[in-house]
């Protein structure tokens, strides 16, 4: 159990017992689980092998298209925002020409920072669902799962004009009930393969190093833009991974030409 400072909200510290949660939850889950490479292969594109992009800069072409069967792609994702530091994060991403995927919380976040949600969408990032109150969905019934997801869907759509097509279950915990409701709501489930456990430290250098140590092709990085040490770590993460030949993509770009399939669980495997 991670300790938090007195008076600090407790749920984020509990939010990611990352690797253990994924193994324990999905181990007995009958829901479809697909890697990005498998999604691309099923859509008829290549064997998932990676080669470095021609320009070596890790930037998406002006057309917005990227072939992650040929380019060494990695997806940067942020959970549990937006928060007070998200505008600074958006400034960094704009400067670095990187698009990310934001899994947003409804209560006290989407409703508190509607202008930030709008900016996330307007600047080309993927807006996704991280539930209304961060309840552990596997501890609730189908009606409660639906309420947690649909309220956030509606709140985001009211601001951006579009409902998300991706969701991330808190702690990565999903089961057949969660998958069924997600399918009904048109939501694919997205897990991760790289985590800095930034809920446990404010040391930006440590957060950066943890990400770099785990980085791999087709990886999905999990960070939180609500913690003090995270946003300052992002420029160094981006610069070093670009130097290593990675191209940053959103989750839909990572699995393209496949489309996110509602109810399906997308979980990367380490390829390197």
């Amino acid at each position: 159990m991670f300790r938090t400072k007195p008076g600090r909200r407790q749920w984020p510290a509990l939010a990611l017992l990352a690797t253990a949660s994924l193994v324990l939850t999905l181990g007995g889950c009958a829901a479809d689980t697909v890697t990005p490479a498998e999604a691309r292969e099923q859509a008829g594109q290549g064997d998932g092998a990676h080669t470095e992009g021609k320009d070596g800069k890790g930037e998406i072409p002006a057309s917005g298209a990227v072939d992650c069967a040929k380019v060494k792609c990695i997806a940067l994702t942020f959970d549990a925002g937006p928060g007070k530091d998200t505008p600074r994060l958006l400034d960094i991403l704009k400067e670095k020409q990187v698009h990310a995927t934001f899994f947003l919380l409804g209560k006290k976040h989407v409703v508190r920072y509607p202008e930030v949600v709008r900016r996330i969408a307007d600047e080309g990032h993927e807006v996704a669902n991280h539930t209304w109150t961060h309840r552990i969905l596997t501890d609730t019934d189908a009606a409660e799962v639906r309420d947690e997801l649909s309220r956030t869907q509606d709140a985001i759509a009211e601001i951006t004009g579009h409902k998300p097509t991706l969701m991330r279950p808190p702690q990565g915990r999903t089961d057949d009930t969660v998958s069924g409701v997600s399918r009904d709501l048109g939501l694919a489930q997205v897990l991760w393969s790289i985590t800095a456990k930034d809920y446990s430290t404010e040391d930006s250098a440590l957060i950066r190093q943890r990400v770099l140590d785990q980085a791999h092709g087709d990886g999905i990085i999990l960070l939180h833009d609500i913690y003090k040490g995270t946003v300052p770590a992002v420029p160094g993460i981006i610069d070093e991974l670009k130097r290593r030949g990675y191209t940053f993509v959103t989750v839909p770009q990572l699995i393209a030409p496949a489309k996110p399939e509602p109810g399906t669980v997308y979980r990367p495997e380490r390829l390197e």
Side-chain angles (χ1 to χ4, degrees):
M1 182 74 66
F2 294 104
R3 297 183 182 275
T4 56
K5 295 179 180 179
R8 195 172 187 174
R9 290 180 301 171
Q10 298 296 306
W11 68 257
L14 301 175
L16 287 170
L17 304 176
T19 303
S21 294
L22 295 180
V23 172
L24 289 173
T25 304
L26 289 174
C29 178
D32 293 333
T33 303
V34 180
T35 69
E38 288 170 343
R40 294 193 300 266
E41 289 167 20
Q42 291 168 10
Q45 180 173 335
D47 60 3
H50 297 293
T51 58
E52 185 173 338
K54 291 182 179 180
D55 63 7
K57 297 179 181 179
E59 296 176 0
I60 303 296
S63 66
V66 59
D67 183 350
C68 290
K70 297 180 179 178
V71 175
K72 189 164 67 171
C73 292
I74 198 164
L76 186 57
T77 73
F78 296 91
D79 279 13
K84 62 181 181 62
D85 294 329
T86 306
R88 174 56 185 148
L89 173 60
L90 292 171
D91 290 343
I92 293 168
L93 296 175
K94 186 174 184 179
E95 176 188 351
K96 302 292 185 182
Q97 300 184 55
V98 165
H99 287 139
T101 303
F102 287 81
F103 292 90
L104 305 182
L105 272 177
K107 188 177 182 181
K108 298 182 180 179
H109 293 270
V110 169
V111 296
R112 183 176 181 181
Y113 299 102
E115 71 286 351
V116 180
V117 175
R118 189 174 297 110
R119 181 181 170 189
I120 291 170
D122 288 347
E123 294 187 359
H125 304 286
E126 186 74 17
V127 181
N129 188 327
H130 196 45
T131 74
W132 187 251
T133 65
H134 207 267
R135 293 191 69 181
I136 305 305
L137 299 180
T138 52
D139 293 341
T140 66
D141 61 25
E144 291 170 315
V145 172
R146 186 177 299 274
D147 184 65
E148 282 284 320
L149 294 173
S150 62
R151 291 181 72 181
T152 306
Q153 290 287 88
D154 292 343
I156 290 172
E158 185 176 349
I159 296 167
T160 67
H162 302 282
K163 289 187 177 182
T165 58
L166 306 177
M167 72 84 120
R168 176 169 284 157
Q171 291 189 6
R173 294 183 178 271
T174 188
D175 58 18
D176 289 339
T177 298
V178 176
S179 295
V181 173
S182 298
R183 188 178 303 111
D184 291 345
L185 295 176
L187 289 165
Q189 303 175 78
V190 179
L191 304 185
W192 62 90
S193 57
I194 302 162
T195 175
K197 298 183 179 179
D198 53 351
Y199 50 82
S200 66
T201 180
E202 294 182 351
D203 186 338
S204 297
L206 179 59
I207 292 168
R208 173 184 178 275
Q209 194 58 48
R210 284 174 173 173
V211 171
L212 297 179
D213 287 347
Q214 298 173 63
H216 64 91
D218 271 1
I220 296 179
I221 302 168
L222 167 62
L223 292 170
H224 299 77
D225 46 329
I226 60 172
Y227 294 124
K228 183 177 179 180
T230 301
V231 172
V234 171
I237 290 170
I238 292 174
D239 289 346
E240 176 58 21
L241 289 180
K242 282 187 175 183
R243 189 191 70 79
R244 295 182 187 181
Y246 286 93
T247 294
F248 285 90
V249 293
T250 63
V251 171
Q253 287 174 321
L254 187 66
I255 68 172
K259 301 293 185 182
E261 185 68 27
T264 297
V265 179
Y266 292 91
R267 178 176 60 170
E269 294 178 354
R270 295 185 66 88
L271 301 180
E272 300 173 354

